[in-house]
Amino acid sequence: MQERLHIPPGAFPLSSAQRSIWVAQQLAPEVPVCIAQYVDLSGDLDLDLLRAVAHEAAREFQSPYLRVVEVDGEPYQYVDPDLDRSDVPLLDFSDAPDPMTAAQQWMNTDYATPVDLAHDPLVNMTILRIGERRHLWYSRIHHVALDGFGAMTMVNRIAALYSAAHEGRAPEPPTAADLYALYQSDLDYRGSGRYTSDRDYWIERVAGLEDGSTLARRTAPTAARSTLDSVTLPDDLVARLTDADAASGSSAAATVVAAFACYLSRITGRADVILNLPVFARTTVAAKRSGGMLVNTAPLHIRLEDDDTRGDLVHRAQLELTGALRHQRFSLEDIRRETGTAGRVHSYGGPMINVMLFRQEIALGPIRGEFHIMTSGPVEDLLVNIYQSGTPARTFLDFRGNPNQYEPGELREHHGRFLELFTEFLRAEPDTPVARIHPATAAVAQRLRRDADLERFWRAALAGAPEHLQLPTDRRRTGPRSTP
């Protein structure tokens, strides 16, 4: 007879954002919903000090000591103090023929390994030695415990504690809220008038777009690892991205959203498209200083008009971004639940857009480390990622696709065509008609819309017609033909 589980002392339910992650993990236990990152450190690293301050920060943030258990079909979370005694292991790849490649292969395998939420540590840190004075400080984090913003906040806190100890001074006092306070804040929001106004906003914005948008020709489950196509953007293009729309008050993110919405509209033949935007959903000072899982996905509804100029489209994208940020605590899962589409995993879904035009440098005392994101979690459809990395900093345009939905050749073709359109879009003046930007994809859109118009015509013309027409013959059939 199986032993009945009881709710552990101090346990409390998952927040709405955590619960959506938990449900996704239950539906596909072989695909860990994890984020992974590392800091490339060159210098005389004090490994024991790094381990000590990592544990100190873990006690402040609590997320690394989180356990999630299921009791009578319901998930609960609690902080397990026994995890405070877990080690931060050191793996030595310095003798490998190519230490960096060997270390990256190990990390790629690690973050794709399934996780038992009730028994495995949800936040793992490992130090990988790839040279006498070079280490990779690696973290693999289950999304139910910590989101990317919280993970970055905790990394910065560990770095601050390390630097203070190295320099013999007292660190700034801890400011992270405990996990129960974050849960209670989410509960309070869901009983507030703000929740109601956010719900009304989103239901109006996405009305009629339940099917979402995609470049994929097929639907399929997510995979633990995505397919990647990446290119380094030239400096002059990056300058146009960051400066071109400053005078009009639009952001670089709005420019990227507008350009990709144009591409998505053309390849699908639809004037109204949905793009998904990750939003921090941390609207208080306390939340911004804390760990936990709060990040949401906001569906951006972008409409393209035939007479749009480049400036018109960027401005419309900026308005959509502004509205999304004002209502960012109401998630895509909330929208699905409120509209009765919770069972449809692709409803209101679309390619994810993430723009991070800043360079993350981590300081551990005299050591300067370069921050690298390996994965932000499994990609359901497509992730369009523009970010900076390296020394000196370079700007990358990545397409990460769900390999079950996009063949490598398909992803490569979309990546290349969008890069062409994006380049022309950035170099065009604000008053340039969008229809004149990248004629090749504009021609695709014209063909698809012409085909759609023709289909609508014949559907209307044949409405009410019998399914099978009786055609006249020159003689009456008496029966089936005989086989010679």
Side-chain angles (χ1 to χ4, degrees), residues 204-456:
E204 179 183 358
R205 288 303 303 141
V206 300
L209 298 170
E210 293 84 358
D211 291 339
S213 301
T214 182
L215 294 170
R217 301 173 185 173
R218 63 192 71 84
T219 59
T222 57
R225 293 176 61 180
S226 56
T227 304
L228 172 65
D229 265 280
S230 181
V231 67
T232 303
L233 296 178
D235 291 342
D236 69 308
L237 212 60
V238 176
R240 286 183 172 272
L241 176 59
T242 54
D243 299 338
D245 297 294
S248 64
S250 297
S251 63
T255 303
V256 176
V257 166
F260 192 79
C262 178
Y263 181 78
L264 182 61
S265 172
R266 288 177 174 182
I267 302 305
T268 60
R270 297 183 178 182
D272 293 272
V273 294
I274 287 278
L275 304 179
N276 286 170
L277 180 78
V279 289
F280 297 139
R282 294 174 184 263
T283 56
T284 66
V285 173
K288 292 174 183 176
R289 295 172 175 172
S290 304
M293 167 57 193
L294 300 176
V295 71
N296 281 334
T297 299
L300 305 180
H301 172 193
I302 308 293
R303 178 171 179 79
L304 284 88
E305 304 287 356
D306 291 339
D307 59 351
D308 272 337
T309 65
R310 177 192 181 280
D312 292 335
L313 186 54
V314 173
H315 179 66
R316 193 175 305 129
Q318 184 63 59
L319 291 177
E320 192 70 17
L321 283 171
T322 301
L325 294 177
R326 286 176 179 168
H327 303 276
Q328 63 181 294
R329 293 193 69 178
F330 197 88
S331 71
L332 180 57
E333 294 305 319
D334 292 327
I335 296 170
R336 288 168 174 166
R337 184 174 59 254
E338 292 283 356
T339 57
T341 61
R344 296 168 55 188
V345 295
H346 299 291
S347 61
Y348 308 109
M352 186 80 74
I353 303 289
N354 195 21
V355 182
M356 298 181 293
L357 291 176
F358 53 88
R359 180 168 171 261
Q360 282 287 355
E361 186 178 73
I362 309 299
L364 277 70
I367 302 173
R368 297 295 180 268
E370 192 73 41
F371 185 80
H372 298 266
I373 297 174
M374 298 198 70
T375 180
S376 300
V379 176
E380 291 186 1
D381 182 81
L382 175 68
L383 169 63
V384 180
N385 201 13
I386 297 183
Y387 62 99
Q388 292 189 339
S389 184
T391 304
R394 295 182 297 163
T395 303
F396 297 88
L397 167 61
D398 286 1
F399 270 28
R400 286 190 175 272
N402 178 355
N404 295 329
Q405 291 192 182
Y406 296 92
E407 297 290 340
E410 287 181 277
L411 191 68
R412 193 176 308 114
E413 182 181 7
H414 284 306
H415 185 247
R417 284 200 294 184
F418 175 66
L419 177 61
E420 292 175 0
L421 184 150
F422 190 44
T423 300
E424 291 189 25
F425 195 90
L426 288 178
R427 290 178 175 161
E429 295 299 323
D431 61 353
T432 303
V434 172
R436 295 183 185 174
I437 297 174
H438 202 248
T441 50
V444 173
Q446 289 177 352
R447 176 176 56 79
L448 290 174
R449 290 173 184 174
R450 186 169 57 249
D451 291 347
D453 289 343
L454 191 61
E455 181 181 353
R456 281 192 293 269

Side-chain angles (χ1 to χ4, degrees), residues 44-58:
D44 295 321
L45 183 65
D46 187 334
L47 298 180
D48 290 335
L49 177 57
L50 180 57
R51 290 184 175 107
V53 296
H55 281 291
E56 184 177 350

Side-chain angles (χ1 to χ4, degrees), residues 111-143:
Y111 76 68
T113 302
V115 176
D116 184 330
L117 298 183
H119 300 100
D120 294 336
L122 302 184
V123 178
N124 282 269
M125 289 188 182
T126 307
I127 302 168
L128 287 64
R129 177 178 286 142
I130 59 173
E132 184 179 351
R133 300 177 66 250
R134 188 177 175 197
H135 298 82
L136 306 181
W137 170 24
Y138 166 77
S139 303
R140 188 260 294 153
I141 301 163
H142 198 282
H143 231 321

Side-chain angles (χ1 to χ4, degrees), residues 13-20 77 182-183 186 190 293-294:
L14 302 186
S15 69
S16 177
Q18 287 177 299
R19 189 180 180 87
S20 67
Q77 59 183 319
L182 296 177
Y183 163 75
D186 180 69
R190 293 178 181 282
M293 167 57 193
L294 300 176

